[in-house]
Amino acid sequence: MTTARAFLTAADFLWLGMVLAISFIEAPLKFRAPNVTLAIGLGIGRLVFRALNGVESLFAILILAAVWADPPGLATTITLAVAIGALAIQLLFVRPRLTRRSDAVLAGAEGPRSRSHYAYVAVEVVKAVALLTAGVLVLTGVMP
């Protein structure tokens, strides 16, 4: 395995681990903790996901550099493009809606629950599956 492929594998699985830990463990559990109000949960969530998305963006850039240095096969490239595309969708379309909604809730507005969370989770699942698939393809050397 080349240095670029090793780096790609490490970055891919680190990114996947962060997504799984934060999106699928921390986020849902935070609202079940004692004395965590909606406002506190939203405030924590905004900070955590802003940080996560920043680190994810860095991983995406580093992965693109590794792919440029030692291009993997088509299947691996496509799965990485899906993961990076999912991140772009979250950053450009879903997170702004979630931010507007959380701003309104923190300002005291009430209304129906936002469906944007479901969109974020759906895109997060796509991203996680793509990252897992790409990592396995690179790690096993199966890169058609």
Side-chain angles (χ1 to χ4, degrees):
M1 179 179 285
T2 67
T3 302
R5 296 272 169 92
F7 184 83
L8 173 60
T9 305
D12 181 271
F13 282 118
L14 283 170
W15 183 1
L16 174 62
M18 291 184 74
V19 167
L20 294 175
I22 292 174
S23 295
F24 298 107
I25 297 174
E26 184 275 338
L29 291 178
K30 149 180 66 228
F31 290 100
R32 292 189 177 133
N35 302 319
V36 172
T37 64
L38 179 60
I40 290 171
L42 286 174
I44 292 168
R46 287 164 60 140
L47 289 172
V48 168
F49 277 92
R50 187 179 310 133
L52 172 64
N53 292 153
V55 173
E56 286 183 292
S57 297
L58 176 62
F59 278 133
I61 291 166
L62 295 173
I63 284 172
L64 287 171
V67 166
W68 178 79
D70 187 6
L74 182 61
T76 304
T77 302
I78 289 171
T79 57
L80 290 168
V82 168
I84 292 169
L87 175 62
I89 289 168
Q90 289 174 319
L91 294 176
L92 298 173
F93 301 106
V94 184
R95 280 249 356 255
R97 288 181 182 174
L98 290 172
T99 298
R100 284 192 298 275
R101 173 70 177 151
S102 63
D103 286 344
V105 169
L106 291 173
E110 292 188 27
R113 294 182 58 93
S114 170
R115 292 187 310 216
S116 295
H117 279 95
Y118 297 119
Y120 194 92
V121 170
V123 176
E124 200 77 330
V125 168
V126 168
K127 183 171 54 180
V129 169
L131 288 169
L132 178 61
T133 302
V136 168
L137 288 172
V138 175
L139 190 61
T140 60
V142 178
M143 295 181 284

